[in-house]
């Protein structure tokens, strides 16, 4: 039976380190980390994410501001707001909640964020730093950063000699995750919807990361015995056993079947999910420390 990698517990530890780091930064330099969360429109899922990010920031002792803009806000207005936040010395992290309404060019908006405040790690400067191995000065996207911490909890920091397969090649999860694994010396393969015989490829993986968005797609017999399985997927499926119209969350991996094969595995919920917000707080603290010239804690 696989060891459970308890993301919720690790995320609590990250947040505790962030709180201590924020207190120490205040004591040493009189600086309070500041985060601005910008949301355009009223997508219910985005509203929930933004509220939980703002709540966590307050819990960490941060200065936290939330800008809620109407659905029909034009791009120029949003770019002006970001320029103001870029110039605001009280703000160290800027997060624009995606997706943006279709009339706004999300790429242009992301690239307008000061790379030094890009705590989501989506700016080309940060993407470039990560892909050239400059992981010490890059901001790494929060979900892969959190997934990597969970991986290293069970596999250690040096992944030399291990085969890693990342299923999914998005800019937000798959590609940065592959770069992090590579930086830690794993031998990395990225799979996607055009990959042939995905099952056979997955069976080569000592570390298998599923970031697809297809409920329980990865089957138990795709998993190499003893492998570490990091399930990034968050999918809502019907759960008639809980009552009519009820739903439940599952990952991209068939958890029950995978547990019989894997050496260690993240559950859904309670695995990678909680790490994402924790890493956003960590990135914001790191940004504030860099600005103040104070050493940041390592995560
Ligand atoms: N835990 C968290 O905090 C967190 C954060 C972000 C995302 N997520 C979850 O992680 C999942 C992935 O997110 P994402 O943003 O990376 O998704 P995405 O942008 O939709 O990318 C999905 C990737 O999966 C690949 N794919 C789709 N069907 C496939 C198949 N049948 N076989 C192999 N590969 C396939 C796609 O390949 P192509 O490129 O060829 O189309 C694509 O590269 C989603 O469930 C999302 O909800 C969780």
């Amino acid at each position: 039976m696989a060891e459970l990698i308890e993301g919720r517990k690790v995320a609590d530890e990250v947040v505790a380190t962030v709180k201590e780091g924020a207190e120490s930064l205040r004591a040493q330099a009189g600086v309070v980390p500041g985060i601005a969360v910008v949301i355009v429109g009223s997508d219910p899922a985005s509203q929930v994410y933004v509220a939980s990010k703002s709540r966590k920031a307050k819990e960490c002792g941060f200065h936290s501001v939330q800008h809620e803009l109407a659905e029909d806000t034009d791009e120029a207005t949003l770019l002006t707001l970001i320029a103001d936040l870029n110039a605001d010395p009280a703000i160290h992290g800027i997060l624009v909640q995606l997706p943006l309404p279709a009339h706004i060019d999300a790429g242009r908006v992301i690239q307008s964020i000061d790379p030094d405040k890009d705590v989501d790690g989506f700016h080309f400067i940060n993407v470039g730093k990560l892909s050239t191995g400059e992981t010490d000065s890059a901001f790494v996207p929060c979900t892969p950063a959190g997934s990597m911490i969970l991986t290293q909890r069970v596999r250690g920091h040096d992944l030399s000699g291990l085969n890693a397969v990342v299923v999914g090649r998005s800019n937000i999860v798959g590609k940065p995750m592959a770069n992090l694994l590579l930086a830690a010396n794993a031998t990395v393969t990225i799979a996607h919807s055009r990959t042939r015989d995905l099952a056979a490829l997955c069976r080569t993986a000592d570390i298998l990361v599923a970031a697809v968005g297809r409920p329980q797609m990865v089957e138990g017999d795709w998993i190499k015995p003893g492998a570490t399985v990091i399930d990034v997927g968050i999918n809502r499926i019907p759960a008639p056993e809980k009552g009519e119209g009820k739903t439940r969350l599952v990952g991209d991996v068939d958890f029950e079947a995978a547990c019989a094969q894997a050496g260690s595995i993240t559950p859904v919920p309670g695995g990678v999910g909680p790490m994402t917000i924790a890493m956003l707080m960590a990135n914001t603290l790191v940004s504030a420390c860099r600005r103040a010239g104070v050493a940041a804690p390592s995560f």
Side-chain angles (χ1 to χ4, degrees):
M1 192 67 182
E3 174 195 346
L4 208 59
I5 307 172
E6 295 179 68
R8 225 186 292 274
K9 201 166 136 232
V10 180
D12 285 347
E13 289 169 25
V14 169
V15 168
T17 305
V18 170
K19 281 186 199 166
E20 274 171 33
E23 276 162 28
S24 158
L25 179 63
R26 190 202 297 254
Q28 283 184 69
V31 171
V32 176
I35 183 167
V37 180
V38 180
I39 180 167
V40 185
S42 54
D43 174 58
S46 293
Q47 296 275 354
V48 171
Y49 289 137
V50 163
S52 58
K53 285 167 184 171
S54 296
R55 218 171 23 244
K56 193 60 82 179
K58 293 213 170 86
E59 188 190 324
C60 289
F62 289 2
H63 163 60
S64 164
V65 289
Q66 198 167 312
H67 292 270
E68 296 187 37
L69 307 183
E71 180 85 27
D72 61 358
T73 300
D74 61 24
E75 191 175 304
T77 305
L78 180 55
L79 291 173
T80 302
L81 170 61
I82 290 172
D84 290 346
L85 294 170
N86 283 342
D88 184 345
I91 296 297
H92 305 95
I94 302 170
L95 182 143
V96 178
Q97 184 66 40
L98 300 175
L100 288 169
H103 66 276
I104 295 178
D105 181 337
R108 195 153 38 217
V109 170
I110 302 288
Q111 300 311 319
S112 75
I113 297 172
D114 178 346
D116 291 340
K117 297 188 178 188
D118 168 39
V119 285
D120 253 342
F122 296 158
H123 192 285
F124 292 150
I125 295 272
N126 286 311
V127 176
K129 283 183 175 179
L130 175 58
S131 58
T132 50
E134 298 280 325
T135 41
D136 285 349
S137 68
F139 283 117
V140 176
C142 301
T143 300
S147 300
M148 196 62 193
I149 288 180
L150 296 181
T151 306
Q152 291 182 316
R153 282 289 170 117
V154 286
R155 289 291 190 164
H157 282 264
D158 185 359
L159 306 177
S160 294
L162 297 177
N163 289 334
V165 173
V166 180
V167 191
R169 58 174 163 178
S170 71
N171 292 330
I172 293 173
V173 189
K175 283 182 202 151
M177 186 67 199
N179 273 321
L180 286 171
L181 289 161
L182 198 57
N185 299 323
T187 302
V188 183
T189 308
I190 305 178
H192 45 78
S193 67
R194 308 295 179 93
T195 299
R196 268 195 214 139
D197 202 353
L198 185 59
L201 181 65
C202 289
R203 281 185 206 109
T204 67
D206 301 299
I207 298 166
L208 178 62
V209 180
V212 180
R214 288 180 175 255
Q216 301 167 313
M217 183 189 83
V218 175
E219 297 174 24
D221 70 355
W222 295 18
I223 292 163
K224 180 176 175 177
T228 295
V229 178
I230 306 291
D231 191 351
V232 181
I234 301 179
N235 310 287
R236 195 165 278 288
I237 61 165
E241 71 281 3
K242 287 167 70 181
E244 204 189 314
K246 299 280 184 197
T247 60
R248 67 187 175 104
L249 290 181
V250 296
D252 291 339
V253 176
D254 180 347
F255 181 77
E256 304 276 302
C259 277
Q261 290 286 106
S264 46
I265 186 167
T266 59
V268 177
V272 173
M275 290 300 287
T276 298
I277 292 187
M279 294 318 293
L280 178 67
M281 301 305 130
N283 279 352
T284 305
L285 173 66
V286 167
S287 175
C289 288
R290 282 180 189 161
R291 187 61 62 106
V294 168
S298 50
F299 293 95

